[in-house]
Amino acid sequence: MRPGSSRAMAATALTLGALLTTALPAAAAEDPGPASRCTPAVHVLDRLPGAGAGSWGSESVNDFGAGGLSVGQSAGLPAYWTGSTVHRVPLPSGYDRGSVAAVNHRGLMVGSIQGPVGAAAFSYRVGASAVRILPGGTYAADVNDRGTVAGGNDSSDAAYLWTGATLTRTLTVTPGHTRVRVRGINSRGTVIGYSWYWDGVSEVSGSVGLVWPGGTTGPGRQLKPVEINTDTDWYPSAIDNHGRVVGERTYDHQDLAAETYWDAPYTKDGVQIPGLPAHEGKGWLNDISPSSGVAVGTAMFPYGIPPITPIDQAQIWPGSGPLRALPSLAPTARPAPRPSTTVPGRGAGPTTATPTTAQAPRTP
């Protein structure tokens, strides 16, 4: 759920991956807490035929719905899966590629499509003859279980909320914020994203996290800390129904990253989580379960070249304590470069090599 320019956003463009699911108990408490059980299992999914099938960036699973429904892209086209069976999302005339970014527990899918006529945000339900174009948008990033869609327009820097096919709110920002990008929305209507920020005084600018709390109408609030320098940027990725936000801090000119989370009411600095030692503690979190507190992401390769140093590694965080590595697919006779996986979230089609990236489980 994160298109854009950071390392973590590139992780959502997963290729030749598989779906890595986990058995997760729903959390009964309001506060986020660790899941008591988590048993990963790898499931290989079908993919659409076509010239782009299996190429880098053309295959991904981006979210997980109810009843074995998962969504993403295959062969560069918006797609969804029922179990392991892949289905094409029907494209309107003038569009020839795209991706489903998210699905809620009622089966409402949202995403973006592109083609000669431009880019558009859309919603779709299984069985519909066509997608529904969302007015004013070039992308839809997420949808909550109430049916509120969060997204925006890359060309105009605008951030929007839609209900049905109606644009219901423009999310505002304070002066100094540009390149606004929405990343997620939870069941309480709290929206997260990020922007490029210049304070009007410093000689440099940088990316900062933003949150629009549910039930409020004011401009987005900055997630702390706000560090405007040439070496630090903040990218929130996802939010759960308790308000916990996960993402990353990038540094060293975005070559390195650190797993980070923020908790409501967002008055304190984001907390950095110690990463996997084999990866020198570097990586990011891509997604978080709506209720269990479990988050997943990628441990990045440190400086060096594999096999001297490890390649990117899918990882899971129970909500407290250390991060843990997720299992990898066994290599076969035809390995593909740096494929990836998801934890009911983002990964994709049948693969032949080691998965590298994980995305979040969807639990009730």
Side-chain angles (χ1 to χ4, degrees), residues 1 8 11-12 14 61 286-287 296-297 341-346 357-361:
M1 294 161 60
T12 63
L14 309 178
V61 176
N286 297 92
D287 211 343
V296 289
T341 189
T342 80
V343 184
R346 317 188 174 173
T357 303
Q359 295 268 356

Side-chain angles (χ1 to χ4, degrees), residues 40 56-57 73 96 101 115 143 154 165 174 177 235 246 285 292 323 329:
W56 181 263
Q73 66 172 330
D96 55 15
V143 56
D154 288 317
T174 55
H177 291 272
Y235 294 99
V246 297
L285 296 174
S292 71
L323 284 146
L329 290 176

Side-chain angles (χ1 to χ4, degrees), residues 174-298:
T174 55
H177 291 272
T178 59
R179 306 183 205 172
V180 180
R181 184 77 183 194
V182 170
R183 293 307 317 281
I185 183 171
N186 69 5
S187 63
R188 299 178 182 181
T190 297
V191 179
I192 61 159
Y194 58 86
S195 72
W196 203 253
Y197 176 64
W198 180 56
D199 60 13
V201 178
S202 303
E203 294 183 357
V204 296
S205 57
S207 178
V208 298
L210 294 173
V211 59
W212 292 264
T216 66
T217 58
R221 304 176 189 173
Q222 294 176 152
L223 291 174
K224 297 182 179 181
V226 177
E227 297 177 330
I228 304 302
N229 59 56
T230 59
D231 201 41
T232 299
D233 294 292
W234 302 91
Y235 294 99
S237 295
I239 182 170
D240 73 5
N241 290 336
H242 310 288
R244 171 165 285 184
V245 177
V246 297
E248 65 173 309
R249 166 187 174 252
T250 67
Y251 56 102
D252 201 2
H253 306 286
Q254 294 196 347
D255 287 333
L256 299 174
E259 300 90 341
T260 305
Y261 73 90
W262 296 261
D263 280 334
Y266 316 114
T267 56
K268 297 181 179 179
D269 287 356
V271 179
Q272 184 172 325
I273 306 164
L276 298 180
H279 294 257
E280 300 180 5
K282 301 175 179 72
W284 54 82
L285 296 174
N286 297 92
D287 211 343
I288 186 168
S289 168
S291 58
S292 71
V294 175
V296 289
T298 304

Side-chain angles (χ1 to χ4, degrees), residues 74-75 88 95-96 121 169 203 228 231 233 283 300 305 321 335:
S74 183
R88 184 192 306 262
Y95 298 94
D96 55 15
R169 180 183 173 189
E203 294 183 357
I228 304 302
D231 201 41
D233 294 292
M300 68 182 295
I305 301 173

